[in-house]
Amino acid sequence: YSYEDGYGDARTYGGERSHEGIDLMAEKGIPIMSVCDGVIEKVGWNELGGYRLGIRGNDTIYYYYAHMSRYEGNPEEGKKVKKGQVIGYVGDTGYGPEGTTGQFEPHLHFGMYYGKQNKLTPFNPYPFLKAWENGG
């Protein structure tokens, strides 16, 4: 996998907006693991994110995983997840109606947010990814 700090970069699909996460470029089908213990708050299709999962960590942070090719098992809102648990697989879903693929290279879009579902505030996950990658 590879990634760089693209947080805040301009995006145009779905209107002018800024990128609210980090794209981890990887081959389609690579397993995605939860970065935390928590509870699934959102699962299913999102036009921008494709097949996605939103997990509320025990630390109260909302972790967003998008563009999955498929999920691991049968994730449901309210189900608990463990740090290191495989939750899905890298894909290229999104930017259209359910099932749309191939609009961009396969990758995991990873976002981190403060707040509740109706008022999520993004912040840059890049320093966290770097720390985790280095064993922190």
Side-chain angles (χ1 to χ4, degrees):
Y1 65 92
S2 66
Y3 64 99
E4 57 188 42
D5 190 356
Y7 182 83
D9 288 353
R11 293 292 190 264
T12 56
Y13 182 87
E16 296 291 323
R17 58 192 172 84
S18 65
H19 195 223
E20 293 183 355
I22 300 296
D23 291 337
L24 291 98
M25 308 308 291
E27 290 183 34
K28 189 173 183 175
I30 297 288
I32 299 165
M33 293 179 279
S34 178
V35 299
C36 66
D37 291 342
V39 176
I40 297 172
E41 278 192 8
K42 289 285 183 186
V43 62
W45 186 265
N46 172 291
E47 182 180 349
L48 292 176
Y51 293 113
R52 55 80 158 100
L53 273 179
I55 297 172
R56 179 69 60 177
N58 291 348
D59 59 3
T60 74
I61 301 299
Y62 181 78
Y63 298 91
Y64 179 74
Y65 305 81
H67 306 310
M68 294 181 182
S69 59
R70 63 185 175 93
Y71 300 112
E72 175 67 20
N74 183 29
E76 295 176 2
E77 292 176 14
K79 271 191 175 176
K80 291 183 178 183
V81 297
K82 291 287 192 185
K83 180 178 180 177
Q85 175 182 335
V86 174
I87 55 174
Y89 299 87
V90 171
D92 61 353
T93 61
Y95 282 25
E98 186 164 1
T100 301
T101 61
Q103 301 298 309
F104 41 76
E105 293 296 313
H107 67 279
L108 168 66
H109 169 93
F110 178 72
M112 295 171 68
Y113 297 80
Y114 295 113
K116 304 283 185 207
Q117 270 304 321
N118 58 349
K119 184 80 167 107
L120 291 171
T121 302
F123 62 96
N124 191 347
Y126 183 80
F128 295 88
L129 290 166
K130 279 296 185 191
W132 294 329
E133 186 176 37
N134 293 323

